[in-house]
Amino acid sequence: MSRCSSYASSATLNTRGPAGGCGSTLGRRPKCLEGSWGARFHAVVPAPGERVFTKRACFDAFLSDGFEEYLGTRGVGHVVLAGLYADVCVDTTARTAFQKGFHVTVLTDCTAALHLPYDAVLRFMRLVYGARTTTADDARAWTAPVYRAEEETCARPPD
């Protein structure tokens, strides 16, 4: 689930059709088959009028048809991410968002880790993507971060 600030909101749903999605399953049993319980929203549903993007088994929401355009046409510069696996889909989407110039917030009470230690995954996103990690009830989660010049981590060396 990705809920985006600046008056735009969306949800992503991960599914795999019978023919697969963004590549193969590499010999593993496919997950999130379209129409199965694994391809449905659980404990959270899209809000009325909220746009739903289907990821078609890709980890990255930005690979969903129309997702980036949806954010761009609404002037969104800050994405708030929640999802099942912080070290899989959430990290992949956070990485692309960062590379495309979006501010990133990850809701720590709305995700977990599958393969890696959870705290290490969150620390990585903070250090590498500048992601804010906080809980959904923190009002700051829903506003774009404001950075001070002294917080800049990639400052140019003096001339």
Side-chain angles (χ1 to χ4, degrees), residues 1 16 35 53-54 57 61 71 89 104 112 118 121 123 129 139 154:
M1 176 76 63
R16 179 182 299 278
F53 294 90
T54 302
L71 299 178
C89 297
V104 176
Y118 186 60
V121 173
R123 182 174 182 271
Y129 316 142
C154 296

Side-chain angles (χ1 to χ4, degrees), residues 1-156:
M1 176 76 63
S2 305
R3 298 208 191 259
C4 309
S5 62
S6 298
Y7 311 105
S9 183
S10 70
T12 58
L13 183 63
N14 190 33
T15 67
R16 179 182 299 278
C22 295
S24 72
T25 60
L26 301 174
R28 298 182 185 145
R29 195 172 116 235
K31 297 173 181 62
C32 303
L33 288 172
E34 201 161 354
S36 73
W37 70 268
R40 292 192 301 257
F41 289 107
H42 294 276
V44 65
V45 294
E50 188 169 44
R51 175 84 187 267
V52 176
F53 294 90
T54 302
K55 293 194 299 183
R56 304 279 180 225
C58 305
F59 297 145
D60 190 343
F62 283 90
L63 295 177
S64 301
D65 291 338
F67 184 73
E68 185 173 0
E69 292 79 13
Y70 178 80
L71 299 178
T73 59
R74 285 156 183 78
V76 173
H78 172 225
V79 294
V80 179
L81 303 175
L84 186 55
Y85 297 128
D87 55 337
V88 183
C89 297
V90 174
D91 175 70
T92 303
T93 300
R95 180 180 311 231
T96 301
F98 165 74
Q99 290 174 329
K100 292 182 176 287
F102 290 90
H103 293 285
V104 176
T105 296
V106 176
L107 300 179
T108 57
D109 56 343
C110 299
T111 189
L114 177 63
H115 299 291
L116 302 171
Y118 186 60
D119 290 339
V121 173
L122 295 176
R123 182 174 182 271
F124 178 83
M125 286 191 268
R126 285 192 302 269
L127 290 173
V128 178
Y129 316 142
R132 176 193 296 152
T133 56
T134 189
T135 58
D137 62 350
D138 181 353
R140 295 174 309 135
W142 306 102
T143 59
V146 177
Y147 296 106
R148 297 184 307 269
E150 62 270 14
E151 292 176 341
E152 183 63 45
T153 58
C154 296
R156 290 175 14 144

